[in-house]
Every structure is written in C-alpha cells, then in structure tokens.
Amino acid sequence: HSEYEFFFVCDADSMAPKGTLERLLRKALHPENQDIALFQTRIDITHAKTRYADFQRIGATIAQRLFFSTHQAIFNKQISFGHLCLIRRYAFDLVRIPLGILSHDIWDACYLDRIGFRCVFCPDVTTYDEAPSNYIEDKTRSRRWAKGTLQSWPLIYRKGISLPLKFYVAQGIYIYLSQPVFFFWLLLGLISALDNHQLISFHAETFREFPFVAPKLAWVLFLTLGAVFGHKFVTVRSFRDFRDVLKENFYSLILSLNNVFY
C-alpha cells in the first residue's frame, strides 16, 4: 500500500481511544522527528476482572512508568511492542527480516536501527490491551514469547545495530534465562545442605541476633531486598499506587517461586 505514508498496528484485543492517531501523527509529521520510523504507545491493561489479570495490569503500569520511560530518556530510542504503534511506511519497506521469525517486533526495531531509523516510546499516548485471566493462559503465551525472544540472540552480535538496541535484546533474553539460573541456584543450595546433613535448620534467635552478629551480611540482605522489591516504590504517587506496588511485589514473588517448580 505505497499510497499510504503511515500505518497503525493492532492486535485482536487492542483498543485505541479517540484522538490516539491524531496525537501520533502530530509527532510523526514534526520536522525534528523524521528519523523516527516507529512511535510506540504506552499500553495499559484493561478489563482486568480476575486477580491474576489485575496483577499483570499493575506490573505493566510499573514497567512502563519506570523502566521504559527511563530507557527512552537515557537512550532516546526504544524497542517495539509489535502492536499499538504508528509506523512510517517507507522506512518499514526497507526492512527485510529473515523468514520464520516469531518475535518480528524485536527484529523490526533492530533492522530499522541498522538503517538509521529510531523507534521511540511515547508515554504520553495511552492505548489499551487485555491480559490473560489466569496462570495457565499466561504460561501458554509466555512459552510462545520465550521462543521468539530467545530466537533474537544473533542480533546481539550483528553489525550496524546500536548498543542500546543490543541492550534491549540482551535484557529480554535475560528475563527468560534468569528463571532456570534461579532454579539451579536453589538446586545447588539444596545439594550443599544435603552434603552437610542439615536440610532444614532454624533457631529462634537467628533473626533477632542477625544484624548484630553479622552486620555486613545484614546490609547485603537489606540492599538485595531493596533492589529486588524496593525500586518499584519510586513510582508511588498515591495510596492506591502504594497498595498496588505491595500487591505486585507479593504476587510476583509467589509466581517467580512457582515458575521454578513449574
């Protein structure tokens, strides 16, 4: 469709509020943005009727408010989500990704970057999507996403792709690889405990004396917990935000442990 200058990508469950395209087109037509081929909207989760879907709604909000906005501010470019984005047609015509690629959005962004076009994240333009309502649905989707994401590893070594895009690719792969690494870490701890013939050991004084007996280890514990869970609290702007972050931390911990045994 060479007669069109832009196209807007939707999934079956995508929802774009009135005025979305107008706001994106204003950005795309601005003279200073001619090197941007893809304008990615912020995607919030809607119709989150189950507890599991609501947990994902909170996680998506935190991720985009904290991580994606920060990455955009630092690198001035971002990866594509694959939908709910406005794409410059003539730039996209120049992209030729290999056949059989599952997560084409990753390759699209990297190949556009290689020919001098940017993908950007637009946190001020909000669109909506739905999320799986339960764990089994989510695992089915995640298994498909994992295959596509892990398939993108050659992009890390491909010439002409900028360091920020290689970082995004490596980060996506790390998210999936971290769970088997976590599993083997737990497994090694279990083997170590069995070698010492002391699988479970607990003393009532442990937590009371810990900060005084081993203050360095205590600081390691507190800093680790702060890094893993506490960083999300910088997104808090209201009591509802505070409640949502607590809820997301709780569910994400349970699910991470469950994924290890899954």
Side-chain angles (χ1 to χ4, degrees):
H1 297 281
S2 58
E3 68 272 24
Y4 294 105
E5 190 174 348
F6 303 96
F7 63 97
F8 186 73
V9 185
C10 294
D11 279 352
D13 57 351
S14 297
M15 287 154 272
K18 183 179 179 180
T20 298
L21 288 174
E22 182 181 6
R23 296 177 69 184
L24 290 174
L25 284 169
R26 285 179 179 176
K27 294 177 183 291
L29 295 173
H30 195 284
E32 294 183 2
N33 294 336
Q34 297 309 300
D35 66 325
I36 301 175
L38 188 148
F39 298 81
Q40 178 63 59
T41 65
R42 166 180 164 168
I43 304 177
D44 284 351
I45 304 298
T46 189
H47 301 155
K49 302 299 183 182
T50 66
R51 290 184 179 180
Y52 192 86
D54 189 55
F55 150 72
Q56 293 178 90
R57 175 190 64 80
I58 300 169
T61 300
I62 293 173
Q64 293 179 98
R65 188 185 295 177
L66 184 59
F67 306 124
F68 289 101
S69 297
T70 302
H71 290 160
Q72 176 63 41
I74 294 173
F75 298 127
N76 203 26
K77 58 179 66 177
Q78 185 55 265
I79 206 78
S80 166
F81 297 173
H83 65 295
L84 287 171
C85 52
L86 183 74
I87 302 179
R88 203 178 294 276
R89 195 267 315 157
Y90 76 84
F92 196 76
D93 276 348
L94 301 174
V95 171
R96 294 290 183 271
I97 65 173
L99 295 175
I101 295 300
L102 295 175
S103 295
H104 64 87
D105 46 349
I106 301 174
W107 291 73
D108 291 342
C110 289
Y111 273 43
L112 285 168
D113 181 78
R114 191 164 68 166
I115 60 175
F117 288 98
R118 288 188 293 143
C119 300
V120 297
F121 178 62
C122 306
D124 58 326
V125 183
T126 303
T127 53
Y128 298 93
D129 219 343
E130 293 182 342
S133 61
N134 59 67
Y135 180 78
I136 302 301
E137 273 187 46
D138 192 30
K139 292 305 293 183
T140 301
R141 186 180 71 169
S142 293
R143 192 177 290 114
R144 184 177 68 252
W145 284 4
K147 289 180 181 178
T149 302
L150 295 174
Q151 192 182 38
S152 65
W153 68 265
L155 295 171
I156 300 175
Y157 305 99
R158 196 143 297 181
K159 293 182 179 179
I161 299 174
S162 66
L163 187 59
L165 268 296
K166 291 183 178 182
F167 165 77
Y168 292 137
V169 174
Q171 184 186 44
I173 293 172
Y174 166 76
I175 289 172
Y176 289 106
L177 293 183
S178 62
Q179 293 196 24
V181 170
F182 183 40
F183 170 75
F184 285 111
W185 178 70
L186 290 176
L187 193 62
L188 288 172
L190 180 63
I191 294 171
S192 176
L194 289 173
D195 286 343
N196 294 328
H197 305 287
Q198 192 175 10
L199 182 58
I200 298 176
S201 177
F202 177 78
H203 299 283
E205 298 81 10
T206 300
F207 290 105
R208 185 171 67 248
E209 296 179 357
F210 183 72
F212 305 101
V213 175
K216 291 183 179 180
L217 291 178
W219 278 111
V220 170
L221 172 65
F222 296 144
L223 288 173
T224 300
L225 292 176
V228 174
F229 299 106
H231 70 279
K232 298 175 184 177
F233 284 96
V234 302
T235 64
V236 171
R237 298 292 183 274
S238 65
F239 177 76
R240 181 182 179 183
D241 289 343
F242 180 75
R243 183 195 62 192
D244 284 350
V245 171
L246 285 178
K247 186 190 296 184
E248 199 277 338
N249 275 330
F250 172 76
Y251 281 115
S252 63
L253 174 62
I254 298 299
L255 285 170
S256 294
L257 293 174
N258 190 55
N259 286 340
V260 168
F261 297 106
Y262 184 87

